[in-house]
Coordinates of all heavy atoms in Angstrom, one line a residue:
M63 N 32.7 10.9 40.1 CA 31.4 10.4 39.9 C 30.7 11.2 38.8 O 29.8 10.7 38.2 CB 30.6 10.4 41.2 CG 29.4 9.6 41.3 SD 29.7 7.9 41.1 CE 28.2 7.2 41.6
S64 N 31.1 12.4 38.6 CA 30.5 13.3 37.7 C 30.7 12.7 36.2 O 29.8 12.8 35.4 CB 31.1 14.7 37.8 OG 30.6 15.5 36.7
N65 N 31.8 12.1 36.0 CA 32.1 11.6 34.6 C 31.2 10.4 34.4 O 30.7 10.2 33.2 CB 33.6 11.1 34.5 CG 34.5 12.3 34.4 OD1 34.0 13.4 34.0 ND2 35.7 12.1 34.7
L66 N 31.0 9.6 35.4 CA 30.1 8.4 35.2 C 28.6 8.9 35.0 O 27.9 8.4 34.1 CB 30.1 7.5 36.4 CG 29.2 6.3 36.4 CD1 29.6 5.4 35.2 CD2 29.3 5.5 37.7
S67 N 28.2 9.9 35.7 CA 26.9 10.4 35.5 C 26.7 11.0 34.1 O 25.7 10.8 33.5 CB 26.6 11.5 36.6 OG 25.4 12.1 36.4
S68 N 27.7 11.8 33.6 CA 27.7 12.3 32.3 C 27.6 11.2 31.2 O 26.9 11.4 30.3 CB 28.9 13.2 32.1 OG 29.0 13.7 30.8
L69 N 28.4 10.2 31.4 CA 28.4 9.1 30.5 C 27.0 8.4 30.5 O 26.5 8.0 29.4 CB 29.5 8.1 30.9 CG 29.7 6.9 30.0 CD1 30.1 7.3 28.6 CD2 30.7 5.9 30.5
L70 N 26.4 8.2 31.6 CA 25.1 7.5 31.7 C 24.1 8.4 31.0 O 23.1 7.9 30.4 CB 24.8 7.2 33.1 CG 25.6 6.0 33.7 CD1 25.2 5.9 35.2 CD2 25.4 4.8 33.0
N71 N 24.1 9.7 31.2 CA 23.2 10.6 30.6 C 23.3 10.6 29.1 O 22.3 10.7 28.4 CB 23.4 12.1 31.1 CG 22.8 12.2 32.5 OD1 22.0 11.5 33.0 ND2 23.4 13.2 33.2
T72 N 24.5 10.5 28.6 CA 24.8 10.4 27.1 C 24.2 9.2 26.6 O 23.5 9.2 25.5 CB 26.3 10.5 26.8 OG1 26.8 11.7 27.3 CG2 26.6 10.4 25.4
A73 N 24.4 8.1 27.3 CA 23.9 6.8 26.8 C 22.3 6.8 26.9 O 21.7 6.3 25.9 CB 24.4 5.7 27.7
R74 N 21.7 7.4 27.9 CA 20.3 7.5 28.0 C 19.7 8.3 26.8 O 18.7 7.9 26.1 CB 19.9 8.2 29.3 CG 18.4 8.3 29.4 CD 18.0 9.4 30.4 NE 18.4 10.7 30.0 CZ 18.8 11.7 30.8 NH1 18.8 11.5 32.1 NH2 19.2 12.8 30.2
D75 N 20.4 9.5 26.5 CA 19.9 10.3 25.3 C 20.0 9.5 24.0 O 19.1 9.6 23.2 CB 20.7 11.6 25.3 CG 20.4 12.5 26.4 OD1 19.4 12.3 27.1 OD2 21.2 13.4 26.7
A76 N 21.1 8.8 23.9 CA 21.3 8.0 22.6 C 20.3 6.9 22.5 O 19.8 6.7 21.4 CB 22.8 7.5 22.6
L77 N 20.0 6.2 23.6 CA 19.0 5.2 23.5 C 17.6 5.7 23.2 O 16.9 5.1 22.4 CB 19.0 4.4 24.8 CG 20.2 3.4 25.0 CD1 20.1 2.9 26.4 CD2 20.2 2.3 24.0
A78 N 17.3 6.9 23.8 CA 16.0 7.5 23.6 C 15.9 7.9 22.1 O 14.8 7.7 21.5 CB 15.8 8.7 24.5
A79 N 16.9 8.5 21.5 CA 16.9 9.0 20.1 C 16.8 7.8 19.2 O 16.0 7.8 18.2 CB 18.1 9.8 19.8
Q80 N 17.5 6.7 19.4 CA 17.5 5.6 18.6 C 16.2 4.8 18.7 O 15.6 4.3 17.7 CB 18.7 4.6 18.9 CG 20.0 5.2 18.5 CD 20.1 5.7 17.1 OE1 19.6 5.1 16.2 NE2 20.7 6.8 16.9
S81 N 15.6 4.8 19.9 CA 14.3 4.2 20.1 C 13.2 5.0 19.3 O 12.3 4.4 18.7 CB 13.9 4.2 21.6 OG 12.6 3.8 21.8
Y82 N 13.3 6.3 19.3 CA 12.4 7.1 18.5 C 12.6 6.8 17.0 O 11.6 6.6 16.3 CB 12.7 8.6 18.7 CG 11.9 9.6 18.0 CD1 10.5 9.8 18.3 CD2 12.4 10.2 16.9 CE1 9.8 10.7 17.6 CE2 11.6 11.1 16.1 CZ 10.3 11.3 16.5 OH 9.5 12.2 15.8
G83 N 13.8 6.7 16.5 CA 14.1 6.3 15.1 C 13.5 5.0 14.8 O 12.9 4.8 13.7
L84 N 13.6 4.0 15.7 CA 13.1 2.7 15.4 C 11.6 2.7 15.4 O 10.9 2.0 14.6 CB 13.6 1.7 16.4 CG 15.0 1.2 16.3 CD1 15.4 0.4 17.5 CD2 15.2 0.5 15.0
N85 N 11.0 3.5 16.2 CA 9.5 3.7 16.2 C 9.0 4.2 14.9 O 8.0 3.7 14.3 CB 9.1 4.6 17.4 CG 7.6 4.6 17.5 OD1 6.9 3.8 17.1 ND2 7.1 5.7 18.2
V86 N 9.7 5.2 14.4 CA 9.3 5.8 13.1 C 9.5 4.8 12.0 O 8.6 4.7 11.1 CB 10.2 7.1 12.8 CG1 10.0 7.6 11.4 CG2 9.8 8.2 13.8
T87 N 10.6 4.0 12.0 CA 10.8 3.0 11.0 C 9.7 1.9 11.1 O 9.2 1.5 10.1 CB 12.2 2.3 11.2 OG1 13.2 3.3 11.1 CG2 12.4 1.2 10.2
G88 N 9.3 1.5 12.3 CA 8.2 0.6 12.5 C 6.9 1.1 11.9 O 6.1 0.4 11.2
Q89 N 6.6 2.4 12.1 CA 5.4 3.0 11.5 C 5.5 3.0 9.9 O 4.5 2.7 9.3 CB 5.2 4.4 12.0 CG 4.9 4.5 13.4 CD 4.8 5.9 13.9 OE1 5.0 6.9 13.2 NE2 4.7 6.1 15.2
N90 N 6.7 3.2 9.4 CA 6.8 3.2 7.9 C 6.6 1.8 7.4 O 5.9 1.6 6.4 CB 8.2 3.6 7.5 CG 8.4 5.1 7.7 OD1 7.5 5.9 7.7 ND2 9.7 5.5 7.9
I91 N 7.1 0.8 8.1 CA 6.9 -0.6 7.7 C 5.4 -1.0 7.8 O 4.8 -1.6 6.9 CB 7.8 -1.6 8.5 CG1 9.2 -1.3 8.1 CG2 7.4 -3.0 8.2 CD1 10.2 -2.0 9.0
T92 N 4.8 -0.6 8.9 CA 3.4 -1.0 9.1 C 2.5 -0.3 8.1 O 1.5 -1.0 7.6 CB 2.9 -0.5 10.5 OG1 3.7 -1.1 11.5 CG2 1.5 -0.8 10.8
N93 N 2.8 0.9 7.7 CA 1.9 1.6 6.8 C 2.4 1.6 5.3 O 1.9 2.4 4.5 CB 1.7 3.1 7.2 CG 1.0 3.1 8.6 OD1 0.0 2.6 8.7 ND2 1.6 3.8 9.5
A94 N 3.3 0.7 5.0 CA 3.8 0.7 3.6 C 2.8 0.5 2.5 O 2.9 1.1 1.5 CB 4.9 -0.4 3.5
N95 N 1.7 -0.3 2.8 CA 0.7 -0.5 1.8 C -0.5 0.3 2.0 O -1.5 0.1 1.3 CB 0.3 -2.0 1.8 CG 1.5 -2.9 1.3 OD1 2.2 -2.5 0.5 ND2 1.6 -4.0 1.9
T96 N -0.5 1.3 2.9 CA -1.6 2.2 3.1 C -1.7 3.3 2.0 O -0.7 4.0 1.9 CB -1.5 2.9 4.5 OG1 -1.4 1.8 5.5 CG2 -2.7 3.7 4.8
P97 N -2.8 3.4 1.3 CA -2.9 4.4 0.3 C -2.7 5.8 0.9 O -3.3 6.1 1.9 CB -4.3 4.2 -0.3 CG -4.7 2.9 0.1 CD -4.0 2.6 1.4
G98 N -1.9 6.6 0.2 CA -1.7 8.0 0.7 C -0.6 8.2 1.8 O -0.3 9.3 2.1
Y99 N -0.1 7.1 2.3 CA 0.9 7.2 3.4 C 2.2 7.7 2.8 O 2.6 7.2 1.8 CB 1.0 5.9 4.2 CG 2.0 6.0 5.3 CD1 1.6 6.6 6.5 CD2 3.3 5.6 5.2 CE1 2.5 6.7 7.6 CE2 4.2 5.7 6.2 CZ 3.8 6.3 7.4 OH 4.7 6.4 8.5
V100 N 2.8 8.6 3.5 CA 4.1 9.1 3.0 C 5.2 8.7 4.0 O 5.0 8.9 5.2 CB 4.1 10.6 2.8 CG1 5.5 11.1 2.5 CG2 3.1 11.0 1.8
R101 N 6.3 8.1 3.6 CA 7.3 7.7 4.4 C 7.9 8.8 5.2 O 8.0 10.0 4.7 CB 8.5 7.0 3.6 CG 9.6 6.4 4.4 CD 10.6 5.7 3.6 NE 11.3 6.5 2.6 CZ 12.4 7.1 2.9 NH1 13.0 6.9 4.0 NH2 13.0 7.8 2.0
R102 N 8.3 8.6 6.5 CA 8.9 9.6 7.3 C 10.2 9.2 7.8 O 10.5 8.0 7.8 CB 8.0 9.9 8.5 CG 6.6 10.3 8.1 CD 5.7 10.6 9.3 NE 5.6 9.4 10.1 CZ 5.0 9.4 11.3 NH1 4.5 10.5 11.8 NH2 4.9 8.3 12.0
E103 N 11.0 10.1 8.2 CA 12.3 9.8 8.8 C 12.6 10.7 10.0 O 12.2 11.8 10.0 CB 13.5 9.9 7.7 CG 13.8 11.2 7.2 CD 14.9 11.2 6.2 OE1 15.2 10.1 5.6 OE2 15.5 12.2 6.0
A104 N 13.2 10.1 11.0 CA 13.6 10.8 12.2 C 14.8 11.6 11.9 O 15.8 11.2 11.3 CB 13.8 9.8 13.3
L105 N 14.8 12.9 12.4 CA 15.9 13.8 12.3 C 16.6 13.8 13.6 O 16.0 14.2 14.6 CB 15.5 15.1 11.9 CG 14.8 15.2 10.5 CD1 14.3 16.6 10.3 CD2 15.7 14.8 9.4
L106 N 17.9 13.4 13.7 CA 18.7 13.4 14.9 C 19.8 14.4 14.7 O 20.3 14.6 13.6 CB 19.3 12.0 15.2 CG 18.2 10.9 15.2 CD1 19.0 9.6 15.5 CD2 17.2 11.1 16.3
Q107 N 20.2 15.1 15.8 CA 21.3 16.1 15.7 C 22.2 15.9 16.9 O 21.8 15.4 18.0 CB 20.7 17.5 15.7 CG 20.1 17.9 17.0 CD 19.5 19.3 16.8 OE1 19.4 19.9 15.7 NE2 19.0 19.9 17.9
T108 N 23.4 16.4 16.7 CA 24.4 16.3 17.8 C 24.1 17.4 18.9 O 23.7 18.5 18.5 CB 25.8 16.6 17.2 OG1 26.1 15.6 16.2 CG2 26.9 16.5 18.3
Q109 N 24.2 17.0 20.1 CA 24.0 17.9 21.2 C 25.3 18.0 22.0 O 25.8 17.0 22.5 CB 22.9 17.3 22.1 CG 22.6 18.2 23.3 CD 21.4 17.6 24.1 OE1 20.9 16.5 23.8 NE2 21.0 18.3 25.1
N110 N 25.9 19.2 22.0 CA 27.2 19.4 22.6 C 27.1 19.3 24.1 O 26.1 19.7 24.7 CB 27.8 20.7 22.3 CG 28.3 20.8 20.8 OD1 28.6 19.8 20.2 ND2 28.2 22.0 20.2
L111 N 28.1 18.7 24.8 CA 28.1 18.7 26.2 C 29.2 19.6 26.7 O 30.4 19.3 26.7 CB 28.5 17.2 26.7 CG 27.4 16.2 26.4 CD1 27.9 14.8 26.8 CD2 26.1 16.5 27.0
G112 N 28.8 20.8 27.2 CA 29.8 21.7 27.7 C 30.7 22.2 26.6 O 30.3 22.7 25.6
T113 N 32.0 22.1 26.9 CA 33.0 22.6 26.0 C 33.5 21.5 25.1 O 34.4 21.8 24.3 CB 34.2 23.3 26.7 OG1 34.7 22.3 27.6 CG2 33.7 24.5 27.6
Q114 N 33.0 20.3 25.2 CA 33.5 19.2 24.4 C 33.0 19.4 22.9 O 31.9 19.9 22.7 CB 33.0 17.9 24.9 CG 33.5 17.6 26.3 CD 32.9 16.2 26.8 OE1 32.2 15.6 26.1 NE2 33.3 15.9 28.0
G115 N 33.8 18.9 22.0 CA 33.4 19.0 20.6 C 32.2 18.0 20.3 O 31.4 18.3 19.5
G116 N 32.3 16.9 20.9 CA 31.2 15.9 20.7 C 30.2 15.9 21.8 O 30.2 16.8 22.7
G117 N 29.4 14.9 21.9 CA 28.5 14.9 23.0 C 27.4 13.8 22.8 O 27.7 12.7 22.3
S118 N 26.2 14.2 23.0 CA 25.1 13.3 23.0 C 24.3 13.5 21.7 O 24.8 14.3 20.8 CB 24.2 13.6 24.2 OG 23.1 12.7 24.2
V119 N 23.2 12.9 21.6 CA 22.3 13.0 20.4 C 21.0 13.5 20.9 O 20.5 13.1 21.9 CB 22.3 11.7 19.6 CG1 21.7 10.6 20.4 CG2 21.6 11.9 18.3
A120 N 20.3 14.3 20.1 CA 19.0 14.8 20.4 C 18.1 14.6 19.2 O 18.5 14.6 18.1 CB 19.0 16.2 20.8
I121 N 16.8 14.5 19.5 CA 15.8 14.4 18.4 C 15.5 15.8 17.9 O 15.1 16.6 18.6 CB 14.5 13.7 18.9 CG1 14.8 12.3 19.5 CG2 13.5 13.6 17.9 CD1 13.7 11.7 20.3
A122 N 15.7 16.0 16.6 CA 15.5 17.3 16.0 C 14.1 17.4 15.4 O 13.6 18.5 15.2 CB 16.5 17.6 14.9
G123 N 13.5 16.3 15.1 CA 12.1 16.3 14.6 C 11.9 15.2 13.6 O 12.5 14.1 13.7
L124 N 10.9 15.4 12.8 CA 10.4 14.4 11.8 C 10.3 15.0 10.5 O 9.8 16.2 10.4 CB 9.1 13.9 12.3 CG 8.5 12.6 11.8 CD1 9.4 11.4 12.2 CD2 7.1 12.3 12.4
R125 N 10.6 14.3 9.4 CA 10.5 14.8 8.1 C 9.8 13.8 7.2 O 10.1 12.6 7.2 CB 11.9 15.1 7.5 CG 11.9 15.6 6.1 CD 13.2 16.0 5.5 NE 14.2 14.9 5.7 CZ 15.5 15.0 5.5 NH1 16.0 16.2 5.3 NH2 16.3 14.0 5.7
R126 N 8.8 14.4 6.4 CA 8.1 13.5 5.4 C 9.0 13.4 4.2 O 9.6 14.4 3.7 CB 6.8 14.2 5.0 CG 5.8 14.2 6.1 CD 4.5 14.8 5.7 NE 4.1 14.1 4.5 CZ 3.0 14.5 3.8 NH1 2.3 15.5 4.1 NH2 2.6 13.8 2.7
V127 N 9.2 12.2 3.6 CA 10.0 12.0 2.5 C 9.1 11.9 1.3 O 8.4 10.9 1.1 CB 10.9 10.7 2.6 CG1 11.7 10.5 1.4 CG2 11.7 10.8 3.9
T128 N 9.1 12.9 0.4 CA 8.2 12.9 -0.8 C 9.0 13.2 -2.0 O 10.2 13.7 -1.9 CB 7.1 14.0 -0.6 OG1 7.8 15.3 -0.6 CG2 6.3 13.8 0.6
D129 N 8.5 12.8 -3.1 CA 9.1 13.1 -4.4 C 8.3 14.2 -5.1 O 7.1 14.0 -5.4 CB 9.1 11.8 -5.2 CG 9.8 11.9 -6.6 OD1 10.5 13.0 -6.8 OD2 9.6 11.0 -7.4
D130 N 8.9 15.3 -5.3 CA 8.2 16.5 -5.9 C 7.7 16.2 -7.3 O 6.6 16.6 -7.7 CB 9.1 17.7 -5.9 CG 9.4 18.2 -4.6 OD1 8.6 18.0 -3.6 OD2 10.4 18.9 -4.4
Y131 N 8.4 15.5 -8.1 CA 8.0 15.1 -9.5 C 6.8 14.2 -9.5 O 5.8 14.5 -10.2 CB 9.2 14.4 -10.2 CG 8.8 14.0 -11.6 CD1 8.7 14.9 -12.6 CD2 8.5 12.6 -11.9 CE1 8.3 14.5 -13.9 CE2 8.1 12.2 -13.1 CZ 8.0 13.2 -14.2 OH 7.6 12.8 -15.4
T132 N 6.8 13.2 -8.6 CA 5.7 12.3 -8.5 C 4.4 13.0 -8.1 O 3.3 12.8 -8.6 CB 6.0 11.1 -7.6 OG1 7.2 10.5 -8.0 CG2 4.8 10.1 -7.5
E133 N 4.5 13.9 -7.1 CA 3.4 14.7 -6.6 C 2.8 15.6 -7.7 O 1.6 15.7 -7.8 CB 3.8 15.5 -5.3 CG 3.8 14.7 -4.1 CD 4.0 15.5 -2.8 OE1 3.9 16.8 -3.0 OE2 4.1 14.9 -1.8
A134 N 3.7 16.2 -8.4 CA 3.3 17.1 -9.5 C 2.5 16.3 -10.6 O 1.5 16.7 -11.1 CB 4.4 17.8 -10.1
Q135 N 3.0 15.1 -10.9 CA 2.3 14.2 -11.8 C 0.9 13.8 -11.3 O 0.0 13.7 -12.1 CB 3.2 13.0 -12.2 CG 4.4 13.3 -12.9 CD 4.1 13.9 -14.3 OE1 3.3 13.4 -15.0 NE2 4.8 15.0 -14.6
V136 N 0.8 13.5 -10.1 CA -0.5 13.1 -9.5 C -1.5 14.2 -9.6 O -2.6 14.1 -10.0 CB -0.3 12.6 -8.0 CG1 -1.7 12.5 -7.3 CG2 0.4 11.3 -8.0
Y137 N -1.0 15.5 -9.2 CA -1.9 16.6 -9.3 C -2.3 16.9 -10.8 O -3.5 17.2 -11.0 CB -1.3 17.9 -8.7 CG -1.1 17.8 -7.2 CD1 0.1 18.2 -6.6 CD2 -2.1 17.3 -6.4 CE1 0.2 18.2 -5.3 CE2 -2.0 17.3 -5.0 CZ -0.8 17.7 -4.5 OH -0.7 17.6 -3.1
Q138 N -1.4 16.8 -11.7 CA -1.7 17.0 -13.1 C -2.7 16.0 -13.6 O -3.6 16.3 -14.3 CB -0.4 17.0 -13.9 CG -0.7 17.3 -15.4 CD 0.6 17.4 -16.2 OE1 1.7 17.2 -15.7 NE2 0.4 17.7 -17.5
T139 N -2.5 14.7 -13.3 CA -3.3 13.6 -13.7 C -4.7 13.8 -13.1 O -5.7 13.6 -13.8 CB -2.8 12.3 -13.3 OG1 -1.4 12.2 -13.9 CG2 -3.6 11.1 -13.8
N140 N -4.8 14.2 -11.9 CA -6.2 14.4 -11.3 C -6.9 15.5 -11.9 O -8.1 15.5 -12.2 CB -6.0 14.6 -9.8 CG -5.7 13.4 -9.0 OD1 -5.9 12.3 -9.5 ND2 -5.2 13.6 -7.8
G141 N -6.2 16.6 -12.3 CA -6.7 17.7 -13.0 C -7.2 17.4 -14.4 O -8.3 17.8 -14.8
N142 N -6.4 16.6 -15.1 CA -6.8 16.1 -16.4 C -8.0 15.2 -16.4 O -8.9 15.3 -17.2 CB -5.7 15.4 -17.1 CG -4.5 16.3 -17.5 OD1 -4.7 17.6 -17.5 ND2 -3.4 15.8 -17.7
S143 N -8.1 14.4 -15.3 CA -9.3 13.5 -15.2 C -10.5 14.3 -14.9 O -11.6 14.0 -15.5 CB -9.0 12.5 -14.0 OG -10.2 11.7 -13.8
A144 N -10.4 15.3 -14.0 CA -11.6 16.1 -13.8 C -12.1 16.9 -15.0 O -13.3 17.0 -15.3 CB -11.3 17.1 -12.6
A145 N -11.1 17.4 -15.8 CA -11.5 18.1 -17.0 C -12.1 17.2 -18.0 O -13.1 17.6 -18.7 CB -10.2 18.8 -17.6
A146 N -11.6 16.0 -18.1 CA -12.2 15.0 -19.1 C -13.6 14.6 -18.6 O -14.5 14.5 -19.5 CB -11.3 13.8 -19.2
T147 N -13.8 14.5 -17.3 CA -15.2 14.2 -16.8 C -16.2 15.3 -17.1 O -17.3 15.0 -17.6 CB -15.1 13.9 -15.3 OG1 -14.2 12.8 -15.1 CG2 -16.5 13.5 -14.8
A148 N -15.8 16.5 -16.9 CA -16.6 17.7 -17.2 C -16.9 17.7 -18.7 O -18.1 18.0 -19.1 CB -16.0 18.9 -16.7
H149 N -15.9 17.5 -19.5 CA -16.1 17.5 -21.0 C -17.1 16.4 -21.4 O -17.9 16.6 -22.3 CB -14.7 17.3 -21.7 CG -14.7 17.5 -23.1 ND1 -14.8 18.8 -23.7 CD2 -14.6 16.6 -24.2 CE1 -14.8 18.6 -25.0 NE2 -14.6 17.4 -25.3
D150 N -16.9 15.2 -20.8 CA -17.8 14.1 -21.1 C -19.2 14.4 -20.8 O -20.2 14.1 -21.5 CB -17.3 12.8 -20.4 CG -18.2 11.6 -20.7 OD1 -18.4 11.3 -21.9 OD2 -18.6 11.0 -19.7
Q151 N -19.5 15.0 -19.6 CA -20.8 15.4 -19.2 C -21.4 16.4 -20.2 O -22.6 16.3 -20.5 CB -20.8 15.9 -17.8 CG -20.5 14.8 -16.8 CD -20.3 15.4 -15.4 OE1 -20.2 16.6 -15.2 NE2 -20.2 14.5 -14.4
T152 N -20.7 17.4 -20.6 CA -21.2 18.4 -21.6 C -21.5 17.7 -22.9 O -22.6 18.0 -23.5 CB -20.1 19.5 -21.8 OG1 -19.8 20.0 -20.5 CG2 -20.6 20.5 -22.7
L153 N -20.7 16.8 -23.4 CA -21.0 16.2 -24.6 C -22.2 15.2 -24.5 O -22.9 15.1 -25.5 CB -19.7 15.4 -25.1 CG -18.6 16.2 -25.6 CD1 -17.4 15.4 -26.0 CD2 -19.0 17.1 -26.8
A154 N -22.4 14.6 -23.4 CA -23.5 13.7 -23.2 C -24.8 14.5 -23.2 O -25.8 14.1 -23.8 CB -23.4 13.0 -21.8
S155 N -24.8 15.7 -22.7 CA -26.0 16.6 -22.8 C -26.3 17.0 -24.2 O -27.4 17.1 -24.7 CB -26.0 17.8 -21.8 OG -25.0 18.6 -22.2
L156 N -25.2 17.3 -24.9 CA -25.4 17.7 -26.4 C -25.8 16.5 -27.2 O -26.6 16.7 -28.2 CB -24.1 18.3 -26.9 CG -23.7 19.7 -26.4 CD1 -22.3 20.1 -27.0 CD2 -24.8 20.7 -26.9
E157 N -25.4 15.4 -26.9 CA -25.8 14.2 -27.6 C -27.3 13.9 -27.5 O -27.9 13.5 -28.4 CB -25.0 13.0 -27.1 CG -25.3 11.7 -27.8 CD -24.4 10.5 -27.3 OE1 -24.0 10.6 -26.1 OE2 -24.2 9.6 -28.0
G158 N -27.9 14.3 -26.3 CA -29.3 14.1 -26.2 C -30.1 15.1 -27.0 O -31.2 14.7 -27.5
L159 N -29.5 16.2 -27.3 CA -30.2 17.2 -28.2 C -30.2 16.8 -29.7 O -31.2 17.0 -30.4 CB -29.5 18.6 -28.1 CG -29.7 19.3 -26.8 CD1 -28.9 20.6 -26.8 CD2 -31.2 19.7 -26.6
F160 N -29.1 16.1 -30.1 CA -29.0 15.7 -31.5 C -29.3 14.2 -31.7 O -28.8 13.6 -32.6 CB -27.6 16.1 -32.0 CG -27.3 17.5 -32.0 CD1 -26.6 18.2 -31.1 CD2 -27.9 18.3 -33.1 CE1 -26.3 19.5 -31.1 CE2 -27.6 19.7 -33.1 CZ -26.9 20.3 -32.1
N161 N -30.1 13.6 -30.9 CA -30.3 12.2 -31.0 C -31.3 11.9 -32.1 O -32.6 11.8 -31.8 CB -30.8 11.7 -29.6 CG -30.9 10.2 -29.6 OD1 -30.6 9.5 -30.5 ND2 -31.3 9.7 -28.4
D162 N -30.9 11.7 -33.3 CA -31.8 11.5 -34.4 C -32.1 10.0 -34.5 O -33.1 9.6 -35.3 CB -31.1 11.9 -35.7 CG -31.1 13.4 -35.8 OD1 -32.0 14.1 -35.2 OD2 -30.2 14.0 -36.5
A163 N -31.4 9.1 -33.9 CA -31.7 7.7 -34.0 C -33.1 7.3 -33.4 O -33.8 6.5 -33.9 CB -30.6 6.9 -33.2
N164 N -33.5 8.0 -32.3 CA -34.8 7.7 -31.7 C -35.9 8.7 -32.2 O -37.0 8.6 -31.8 CB -34.7 7.9 -30.2 CG -33.8 6.8 -29.5 OD1 -33.7 5.7 -30.1 ND2 -33.3 7.1 -28.4
G165 N -35.5 9.6 -33.0 CA -36.4 10.6 -33.5 C -36.8 11.7 -32.6 O -37.8 12.4 -32.8
T166 N -36.0 11.8 -31.5 CA -36.3 12.8 -30.5 C -35.4 14.0 -30.6 O -35.6 15.0 -29.8 CB -36.3 12.3 -29.1 OG1 -34.9 11.7 -28.9 CG2 -37.3 11.1 -28.9
G167 N -34.5 14.0 -31.5 CA -33.5 15.1 -31.6 C -34.0 16.2 -32.5 O -35.1 16.2 -32.9
L168 N -33.1 17.2 -32.7 CA -33.4 18.3 -33.6 C -33.6 17.8 -35.0 O -34.3 18.1 -35.8 CB -32.3 19.3 -33.6 CG -32.1 20.1 -32.3 CD1 -30.9 21.0 -32.4 CD2 -33.3 20.8 -31.9

C-alpha cells in the first residue's frame, strides 16, 4: 500500500505544480495588454523521493521575464525626454526676455 500512497502523492504534487503554472499563464494572457505588465513564468524543480533518482515536482518560485536592452532604452528615452523638457522651459523663459516683436523685450 505504501507504493500506491507514494504514487498518489507524486501525482498530487505534479497536479498542484502544473495548476500553478497554468494560473501564471492565465495571468500573463489576461494582462497582456496592460501597460507596464511584465510576463512571468513559473519555476518548477525536481523533488527527490528518498533514494530514487527521480521523483515529484515542486514549485520553486516565480520569475519576471524582462529584456535588459529594452529596459535600458526606456530609461534612456525617459531621461532624454526630461532633459529636453527642462531645456525647453529654460529657452521659453529666455524667449520672454528677448521678445522684440511685442516691444517688451530688451
Side-chain angles (χ1 to χ4, degrees):
M63 196 65 163
S64 175
N65 287 338
L66 180 59
S67 176
S68 175
L69 182 63
L70 289 175
N71 286 336
T72 300
R74 180 199 65 210
D75 292 345
L77 286 173
Q80 294 305 321
S81 175
Y82 179 76
L84 285 173
N85 185 22
V86 171
T87 301
Q89 291 173 6
N90 287 336
I91 292 169
T92 301
N93 294 310
N95 293 326
T96 303
Y99 182 78
V100 177
R101 185 173 65 92
R102 301 179 303 170
E103 66 181 22
L105 300 175
L106 306 178
Q107 68 183 10
T108 303
Q109 182 178 2
N110 290 333
L111 295 176
T113 59
Q114 297 178 1
S118 185
V119 63
I121 300 166
L124 198 61
R125 177 175 54 196
R126 293 179 56 185
V127 180
T128 61
D129 183 12
D130 293 335
Y131 176 76
T132 304
E133 281 189 6
Q135 291 298 313
V136 167
Y137 290 139
Q138 182 178 2
T139 302
N140 287 341
N142 290 343
S143 175
T147 301
H149 190 72
D150 182 52
Q151 290 171 350
T152 303
L153 289 177
S155 65
L156 287 176
E157 185 179 22
L159 291 175
F160 295 101
N161 189 1
D162 287 334
N164 293 336
T166 59
L168 294 176

